[in-house]
Amino acid sequence: MAIETALPQIKGVKDVPYEELFVSGHRTCQGCESALVMRHMVKASGPRTIVLGSTGCMYVANTTYYTTPWVVPWMHTQLGASGSAALGTAAGLKVLMRKGKLKDEKINVIAFCGDGGGADMGLGAISATLTHKEYNCLVLLYDNESYANTDIQLSSQTPYGAVTTFSPSGSKKRLMHTRWKKNVPGMLAAGHPESRFIAAGCAAYAVDLMNKIRKALEIGGPTFVHTLDPCPKGWDYHPQYSQELGHLAVECGIWPLYEVIDGVCNLTGPTRQIAEGRKKRKPVYEYLKRQGRFAHFIDEDVEHFQSQVDKMWTDWLIPGVIPFTVPAKDQAILKIDKKSKPLHEEPATA
Ligand SMILES: Cc1ncc(C[n+]2csc(CCOP(=O)(O)OP(=O)(O)O)c2C)c(N)n1
Ligand code: SF4
Ligand SMILES: [Mg+2]
């Protein structure tokens, strides 16, 4: 029987494959959105997929001794090595197929990493991988905004002011952590013109996310998807609110959804509606007040958070994506006319 490998775009939930390739047998917390990302990721990619994963919750909790939820082939890789593992596996498959030792067919290679493993330790390897355009592989960074598996330590993805085990709020210092979250997908998109697909998604928008995974795998070459994943343990909220928090992160403009295809940026989902003025951006307080990690915030902290998010929307060259601001006097030189030119053109998919 011929194996179906083409991955068409999913038009609605009725189109979502029934087949589960990430099943029971894992020990992630109730309400773990990173586990949902894994499930959506392989649902979208289908059975002809090899998954590689760096150390973290999605390794440890998914491979408790003698059990695994993975139906597809799966391999662990070192904490900072998802980029190298993706590239090495894609290169190995290519050689085996060229030598006739493996049937020449499309096999999806996906390497995942957490924010600690991808945005911090393994960023160099991911960057290198995104320059090797002759290999087909996807790196998926699942971002729960901490080193969760080792008990919620601060990472470069932890939001401004949030409490982690490395940034507790104290009586002398209310905010132990005051860095703004590193903009990983924007940075990778801006710096890797040979990567044909780089996107930001969220499991709360499941179809949007699955379509981004599919586009990445169909467009080919080295690609990257970054997901924001609410984590009940690290963010300190009841597990039943994970989806709601994913929605709020996007609706408050904190986590813009977009994809960059061949250098063309396309905002997606509610992010697009907000940018087009069809939906009102919610105040960040709606998001912050739902999580214990921000319980120590006073008004001025919320105001600062809001002002930073506002800047992402009003000053950045592409809202939430590219953090350059262009002075009015230079907008004509750079051919930027925000009023007459649509900022977010629909890119042609390959
Ligand atoms: C080189 C190295 N340093 C430290 C560790 C210990 N360690 C294991 S998992 C982990 C946290 C990883 O965080 P992240 O990548 O964000 O994944 P998460 O646990 O949040 O899912 C750490 C520090 C390790 N396994 N390898
Ligand atoms: S700590 Fe967070 S990321 Fe880890 S398994 Fe629990 S909910 Fe998921
Ligand atoms: Mg993490």
Side-chain angles (χ1 to χ4, degrees):
M1 194 180 79
I3 295 163
E4 184 61 58
T5 52
L7 300 170
Q9 289 289 283
I10 298 166
K11 295 201 176 66
V13 277
K14 284 192 185 152
D15 245 7
V16 174
Y18 193 65
E19 198 173 21
E20 297 290 353
L21 300 169
F22 176 89
V23 295
S24 56
H26 58 83
R27 305 269 176 98
T28 66
C29 309
Q30 248 190 341
C32 174
E33 289 283 288
S34 297
L36 202 57
V37 168
M38 298 296 122
R39 183 179 169 206
H40 293 338
M41 177 182 88
V42 278
K43 210 179 230 311
S45 67
R48 303 307 286 164
T49 300
I50 295 173
V51 177
L52 313 143
S54 75
T55 325
C57 282
M58 291 306 106
Y59 158 51
V60 178
N62 279 332
T63 47
T64 312
Y65 193 49
Y66 273 168
T67 72
T68 181
W70 293 110
V71 176
V72 294
W74 182 87
M75 191 192 84
H76 168 239
T77 186
Q78 190 267 340
L79 187 48
S82 61
S84 325
L87 192 65
T89 304
L93 286 174
K94 199 171 178 178
V95 168
L96 289 172
M97 286 178 193
R98 179 163 46 80
K99 291 186 171 174
K101 296 191 172 173
L102 260 190
K103 190 177 141 226
D104 192 357
E105 62 168 311
K106 184 163 184 286
I107 296 179
N108 302 311
V109 174
I110 307 179
F112 67 72
C113 51
D115 46 308
D120 295 348
M121 298 184 199
L123 192 61
I126 295 173
S127 170
T129 296
L130 294 181
T131 65
H132 286 273
K133 65 178 178 186
E134 63 278 33
Y135 298 114
N136 300 323
C137 54
L138 164 65
V139 176
L140 183 138
L141 194 161
Y142 71 92
D143 178 7
N144 48 30
E145 300 193 317
S146 78
Y147 290 74
N149 181 61
T150 37
D151 205 19
I152 323 295
Q153 287 90 31
L154 186 78
S155 84
S156 66
Q157 298 302 285
T158 304
Y160 173 87
V163 160
T164 65
T165 47
F166 278 6
S167 56
S169 177
S171 53
K172 290 234 163 66
K173 215 167 176 190
R174 189 180 65 259
L175 301 185
M176 192 61 111
H177 158 60
T178 53
R179 293 177 292 162
W180 195 250
K181 185 178 169 95
K182 197 198 280 180
N183 172 9
V184 175
M187 165 195 353
L188 294 179
H192 300 82
E194 300 214 285
S195 170
R196 298 189 56 205
F197 187 88
I198 290 179
C202 180
Y205 298 95
V207 171
D208 178 83
L209 175 59
M210 283 189 258
N211 279 333
K212 283 170 177 162
I213 305 269
R214 286 190 161 191
K215 273 186 205 168
L217 296 169
E218 285 297 301
I219 288 173
T223 52
F224 178 83
V225 174
H226 188 142
T227 60
L228 180 75
D229 313 349
C231 159
K233 183 179 168 201
W235 300 13
D236 190 12
Y237 63 86
H238 191 284
Q240 70 176 315
Y241 298 120
S242 293
Q243 288 278 293
E244 224 169 295
L245 279 170
H247 287 148
L248 280 170
V250 173
E251 289 168 344
C252 296
I254 296 167
W255 185 248
L257 301 176
Y258 61 90
E259 56 197 14
V260 181
I261 305 178
D262 288 332
V264 179
C265 180
N266 177 37
L267 302 184
T268 66
T271 304
R272 188 180 188 88
Q273 295 172 335
I274 294 170
E276 288 176 351
R278 287 188 288 129
K279 194 180 173 81
K280 206 168 158 16
R281 184 156 49 88
K282 291 185 175 167
V284 298
Y285 182 63
E286 297 294 315
Y287 175 74
L288 302 178
K289 73 179 180 191
R290 306 286 296 271
Q291 305 168 56
R293 63 182 175 158
F294 301 113
H296 56 297
F297 268 29
I298 60 173
D299 288 353
E300 72 183 62
D301 305 327
V302 176
E303 278 158 24
H304 177 74
F305 206 109
Q306 183 68 63
S307 70
Q308 293 304 107
V309 174
D310 289 347
K311 251 192 221 160
M312 286 166 57
W313 282 84
T314 54
D315 296 3
W316 287 21
L317 193 57
I318 301 178
V321 185
I322 303 293
F324 302 153
T325 57
V326 179
K329 68 179 171 55
D330 291 342
Q331 293 197 355
I333 303 170
L334 294 173
K335 299 192 175 66
I336 294 166
D337 179 357
K338 290 191 180 182
K339 282 200 190 81
S340 60
K341 192 173 148 210
L343 268 178
H344 323 294
E345 284 164 19
E346 199 73 52
T349 47

